[in-house]
Amino acid sequence: MSTHKRHLTRRRVLGASAIGVAATGAAVAGGTGLLSSASAATFGHTDDGKNYVVDTGASLVFKVAKSTGDITSLVYRGKEYEGYGGRHSHVESGLGASTVTVKQSGSTILVKVAHGAITQWYAARSGQNNVYAWTNKADASFTATRYLVRLKPGMFPNEGSDSWIEASDKVIEAGDVWQRGDGTTHSKHYSGKRTIDYDHVGFTTGSVGLYLVRSNHEKASGGPFYRSLLRHSNDLGAGLYEILHYNQAQTEAERFGLQGPYVLAFTDGGTPSSSLFHSKLDTSWVDGLGITGWVGAAGRGKVAGVGLKGMDATYAYTVGFANADAQYWAKAAAGTGGFSCKGMLPGTYTMTVYKGELAVHTASVKVTAGGTTSLNSLTISGDPSTAKTIWRLGDWDGTPGEFKNAKLMTYAHPSDARAAKWTGNVTIGSGSEAASFPAYMWKDVNDGILVYFKLTAAQAAAAHTLRVGVTDAFSNGRPRVTVNDWVSAIPTAPAQPNTRSLTTGSYRGNNHSFTFNVPSSAWKTDTSQYNVLKLNIVSGSGGSAYLSAGTSFDCIDLLA
């Protein structure tokens, strides 16, 4: 990776094992930048020559640079929180020279920032300690779509996996993964959260909280289970992210158009009011502001489903909707599988039912403005767990969750000192097989894992199908199997993200099942002997160690 790219990567900082539930304790005193309390004035805006200065009429005053549209100051209760390393809060890594205007409409102040394919809006509402924001991106002239709030160092405590010390921690991968002296690993990537699992991300001292409340992500990419940057902190500063499109472990094409609002919210130390969450936020006040691309409630529709038949009570089910223009999702009710998804843009969507994170049913639905599309009970038709098996290692849920080290890998590097050894030969019937089997396999690290199993005489007399389910792969890594002396052909590599994932907190790619037809001649005829399944990772590309070709497993089973 070039020095320029490494520097850009460092600027995008975040990750975390404790997102949304920020660390508590006293803030570090250094660099707090106390200002006079004269900011507690009347709601309105002024021009200081370089910035539009917006007073919310509450405890927050913020500034937007007239030349670039960066937020250059966030003063809450007289204390400055914004900026580090000479950089400010902005779209991407900063838009540069932009056309910036401001207007007041009753109890709302709106700032518009125009720069090529991106238009950014900020709004303040009288008496609220919030900054509402929207991003409208028209094309791919910018490589990603994110908003980064940059905060001064030492303002908030954080010792999570998304916190590192540049002065002493060691870079172990690509300039953005760090290792501490105790062997633990830290990175902006280690959020440990899927999009569906959080409404806000932030920090608190116990008496002051600063949070970024995410938008509905309708124009984002990756679906409900996507993991990306959320926050970070180090000795240089801290950051909060709203990621709308990020090409790390990305499974979908980028969507364009207006995204928001997302909300930067100051609190008295607690989490933000749920009234700011996208599912509850009243946005009727936005309708008359003239934000390009804004579609109010009247221009949106809803899908409501009676329920799902054939659910496995062990798992949570999610119903997703996606087309080229938008994405949405709703959680299905336990027991009945009923679901409701509101606030959808008109159009025809592919509806996908997920068991855990595995797609088990798809259909097409049409949404109309102001209407409700009602669906009768849907019968799940594609759950591979319903097949009769001789043995099964793990389960089909679209995740490696049952396997060794799986949960740790959402907020740590595979080399982390807390990880169990990546080796893991298992014997079917010995107990705890899945917990002993590694979640990931790499060509350079733990290639050649063995699974031992016995067959009855009747089973050994027949051919059987072996299925190997994967959730993601790096550098076209895919499994080739050997059963005793029988060796499979090398399977074709399925489409997967072409970036790092297994080392950056994500096992989420395109779930795929490899099917191997094992002939009866492959089995041991002596039923007292173990058959041996060997798994190897094959690929013509990849680096070394944890950046060699690899894959993450969902399930392995032998059909009856």
Side-chain angles (χ1 to χ4, degrees):
M1 181 181 287
S2 69
T3 301
H4 173 69
K5 288 184 178 179
R6 285 198 299 270
H7 288 173
L8 278 179
T9 301
R10 290 194 187 183
R11 290 176 191 145
R12 289 180 178 173
V13 249
L14 187 304
S17 61
I19 34 184
V21 184
T24 58
V28 179
T32 54
L34 284 170
L35 303 180
S36 73
S37 59
S39 60
T42 305
F43 177 72
H45 63 88
T46 57
D47 183 340
D48 70 3
K50 293 184 177 181
N51 307 278
Y52 292 121
V53 183
V54 180
D55 193 320
T56 64
S59 300
L60 172 64
V61 177
F62 65 93
K63 296 181 180 180
V64 180
K66 294 167 60 179
S67 58
T68 64
D70 290 2
I71 289 182
T72 58
S73 175
L74 291 165
V75 175
Y76 179 66
R77 297 180 184 168
K79 181 183 290 188
E80 178 67 80
Y81 285 83
E82 200 282 331
Y84 68 79
R87 297 173 66 80
H88 294 290
S89 303
H90 42 221
V91 180
E92 294 297 322
S93 295
L95 294 177
S98 303
T99 301
V100 184
T101 57
V102 63
K103 68 176 182 178
Q104 182 169 342
S105 301
S107 60
T108 301
I109 294 171
L110 183 68
V111 179
K112 178 182 178 181
V113 182
H115 177 97
I118 288 184
T119 305
Q120 178 73 18
W121 282 270
Y122 304 106
R125 303 204 70 205
S126 179
Q128 297 185 11
N129 293 311
N130 305 321
V131 180
Y132 297 84
W134 295 259
T135 303
N136 193 333
K137 182 178 177 181
D139 59 38
S141 54
F142 283 80
T143 58
T145 311
R146 63 166 190 172
Y147 196 88
L148 172 56
V149 181
R150 299 181 186 270
L151 305 175
K152 296 165 68 69
M155 303 303 291
F156 296 99
N158 177 27
E159 296 180 356
S161 294
D162 56 352
S163 173
W164 66 95
I165 306 168
E166 295 217 7
S168 57
D169 290 347
K170 177 184 176 183
V171 176
I172 61 170
E173 183 178 295
D176 60 10
V177 180
W178 305 74
Q179 185 179 68
R180 197 150 292 171
D182 61 3
T184 60
T185 51
H186 303 258
S187 175
K188 64 183 181 181
H189 297 290
Y190 297 152
S191 70
K193 291 285 186 180
R194 309 172 304 173
T195 304
I196 194 173
D197 295 329
Y198 76 94
D199 288 300
H200 59 277
V201 56
F203 303 102
T204 182
T205 65
S207 59
V208 174
L210 177 55
Y211 296 90
L212 192 57
V213 183
R214 76 167 176 87
S215 66
N216 66 356
H217 278 218
E218 70 180 2
K219 295 290 186 178
S221 302
F225 313 121
Y226 186 61
R227 299 173 191 263
S228 193
L229 314 184
L230 296 179
R231 69 171 198 180
H232 86 276
S233 62
N234 56 37
D235 41 330
L236 304 179
L240 298 174
Y241 295 83
E242 167 76 339
I243 297 293
L244 303 175
H245 180 79
Y246 194 64
N247 199 33
Q248 188 84 50
Q250 186 56 254
T251 58
E252 287 189 301
E254 186 172 10
R255 294 181 173 92
F256 302 106
L258 183 69
Q259 181 66 63
Y262 46 98
V263 188
L264 183 63
F266 280 90
T267 75
D268 291 335
T271 56
S273 167
S274 62
S275 64
L276 292 177
F277 297 173
H278 66 88
S279 59
K280 298 181 178 180
L281 184 64
D282 175 11
T283 57
S284 58
W285 57 275
V286 182
D287 291 351
L289 294 180
I291 294 177
T292 306
W294 175 254
V295 179
R300 295 173 177 269
K302 175 182 178 180
V303 175
V306 172
L308 302 173
K309 295 179 179 179
M311 292 194 303
D312 182 336
T314 307
Y315 294 95
Y317 284 73
T318 304
V319 183
F321 303 87
N323 61 23
D325 296 320
Q327 62 169 7
Y328 307 94
W329 51 83
K331 295 180 180 180
T336 66
F339 60 91
S340 177
C341 189
K342 64 180 182 179
M344 301 173 66
L345 293 173
T348 299
Y349 294 84
T350 297
M351 179 180 68
T352 304
V353 178
Y354 296 94
K355 167 195 171 186
E357 296 185 16
L358 183 68
V360 292
H361 186 84
T362 60
S364 178
V365 297
K366 185 176 181 180
V367 176
T368 57
T372 296
T373 302
S374 299
L375 303 176
N376 295 325
S377 291
L378 303 173
T379 300
I380 292 170
S381 57
D383 186 350
S385 296
T386 60
K388 187 176 180 181
T389 63
I390 296 172
W391 55 261
R392 177 170 289 157
L393 193 57
D395 198 7
W396 296 96
D397 65 353
T399 83
E402 302 94 340
F403 296 130
K404 182 166 60 177
N405 290 327
K407 292 179 174 59
L408 177 66
M409 288 302 96
T410 61
Y411 58 90
H413 190 269
S415 66
D416 194 284
R418 294 165 291 180
K421 290 184 178 179
W422 285 103
T423 52
N425 297 340
V426 298
T427 300
I428 301 299
S430 62
S432 302
E433 297 98 326
S436 301
F437 188 86
Y440 299 169
M441 188 182 296
W442 296 269
K443 194 173 182 180
D444 267 14
V445 176
N446 57 346
D447 196 40
I449 297 285
L450 305 178
V451 179
Y452 297 91
F453 60 97
K454 291 182 178 180
L455 297 177
T456 66
Q459 290 167 344
H464 295 283
T465 298
L466 176 74
R467 301 186 299 185
V468 180
V470 302
T471 69
D472 193 13
F474 178 69
S475 286
N476 290 324
R478 66 267 197 200
R480 185 183 196 183
V481 303
T482 301
V483 178
N484 300 319
D485 295 326
W486 179 84
V487 182
S488 75
I490 296 176
T492 301
Q496 296 289 5
N498 58 5
T499 62
R500 290 179 299 157
S501 54
L502 305 183
T503 60
T504 55
S506 178
Y507 56 75
R508 180 75 184 164
N510 294 310
N511 289 309
H512 182 80
S513 179
F514 294 94
T515 300
F516 302 95
N517 297 313
V518 186
S520 59
S521 58
W523 312 120
K524 297 282 188 181
T525 56
D526 183 347
T527 59
S528 67
Q529 292 184 320
Y530 282 103
N531 291 274
V532 183
L533 165 65
K534 184 179 182 180
L535 294 159
N536 290 102
I537 299 300
V538 292
S539 177
S541 58
S544 61
Y546 297 106
L547 290 180
S548 63
T551 195
S552 50
F553 293 102
D554 179 8
C555 184
I556 304 172
D557 60 17
L558 185 66
L559 299 186

